[in-house]
Amino acid sequence: MTLKTFKPYTKSSRGTVLVDRAQLWKGKPFKSLTEKKKSSKGRNNYGRITSRNSGGGHKKKYRTIDFYRKKTNMKGFIERIEYDPNRSCYIMLVKFEDGEKFYYLAPQNIKIGDTIENGSKIEIKSGNCMPLQDIPTGIDIHNVEIQPGGGGKIARSAGTSVSISGIDGNYSIIKMTSGEVRKIDSRSLATIGVLSNPDQKNIK
């Protein structure tokens, strides 16, 4: 994705920098994987304003993302890559061989038509999800579980990733971008690759 700048025809367009989303899906989200998202407009259960200046805004639908990656031993084909108003990285709609569809977080350098898999002892490829014990040290990963079966919690925002710096018995040593080091159960799942939309930080 490239960055867009504008001629300063107005005060607001001077210095404005946006991400060009021309390559993304332009239609509506996949309906059965969306939920209604209701705004509280800054009010509590009594109807009193407790957080000011948070009303209005555009209507949004929540896209149900599968952070658990429970669909194993079956190939999935990437149908489209979409913008998600609820998160900074892009998401991808994946259709599996049995016809079932899921939304996953989209890594960088993944294209429509590519295949991905979930499970153990599969190819080390961007978008594939497997236990930490099957991933070699030094490879960038995202959507890492803290507890086995708990769903991805670590490295889920745009352009982020962590890496495995070593193994200590039944634990993998994960190095975060902040420099923090964590020990996580090696049975926990993680997805290969760096997350999409790294230019999110350059938006003005």
Side-chain angles (χ1 to χ4, degrees):
M1 299 289 166
T2 55
L3 291 170
K4 291 196 299 186
T5 55
F6 301 87
K7 286 188 177 180
Y9 291 124
T10 62
K11 289 178 181 178
S12 61
S13 64
R14 185 187 302 276
T16 296
V17 179
L18 300 177
V19 174
D20 184 18
R21 300 197 186 110
Q23 308 296 321
L24 300 181
W25 170 255
K26 294 180 176 62
K28 292 186 176 180
F30 188 63
K31 193 171 183 180
S32 64
L33 292 176
T34 56
E35 297 173 9
K36 187 185 281 187
K37 191 179 177 192
K38 194 172 184 300
S39 169
S40 66
K41 299 171 189 153
R43 286 159 172 77
N44 65 4
N45 57 327
Y46 292 113
R48 295 168 185 156
I49 295 175
T50 53
S51 178
R52 296 194 177 276
N53 308 316
S54 61
H58 200 289
K59 279 187 180 179
K60 295 177 186 175
K61 281 186 177 177
Y62 182 77
R63 281 84 165 155
T64 309
I65 312 293
D66 180 21
F67 294 113
Y68 295 88
R69 296 284 194 118
K70 288 179 179 174
K71 196 81 172 175
T72 56
N73 305 319
M74 196 179 291
K75 283 193 176 181
F77 300 90
I78 296 164
E79 284 201 334
R80 61 199 195 204
I81 297 169
E82 299 182 18
Y83 166 75
D84 186 354
N86 305 298
R87 62 196 75 253
S88 55
C89 69
Y90 300 135
I91 59 175
M92 56 187 181
L93 183 66
V94 179
K95 183 179 181 180
F96 284 90
E97 290 169 331
D98 62 352
E100 207 169 353
K101 296 185 181 183
F102 293 95
Y103 271 132
Y104 291 152
L105 300 180
Q108 289 179 30
N109 306 321
I110 206 156
K111 301 184 293 295
I112 295 165
D114 287 357
T115 59
I116 62 165
E117 281 182 275
N118 307 322
S120 56
K121 296 175 183 174
I122 56 175
E123 186 186 350
I124 305 293
K125 189 177 81 168
S126 185
N128 281 3
C129 181
M130 61 195 78
L132 290 169
Q133 60 199 9
D134 294 346
I135 303 173
T137 56
I139 287 183
D140 290 323
I141 53 175
H142 64 271
N143 193 40
V144 185
E145 290 181 337
I146 295 174
Q147 297 288 338
K153 299 283 193 299
I154 297 171
R156 297 194 332 193
S157 62
T160 58
S161 67
V162 295
S163 61
I164 303 172
S165 60
I167 294 163
D168 183 9
N170 294 327
Y171 292 88
S172 295
I173 300 166
I174 304 294
K175 188 176 182 185
M176 320 286 256
T177 47
S178 62
E180 181 191 346
V181 174
R182 280 196 184 190
K183 283 171 75 173
I184 294 177
D185 194 316
S186 293
R187 295 171 298 168
S188 298
L189 296 177
T191 310
I192 307 290
V194 182
L195 278 172
S196 53
N197 195 20
D199 285 322
Q200 170 72 17
K201 61 187 177 188
N202 298 320
I203 290 176
K204 282 198 270 180

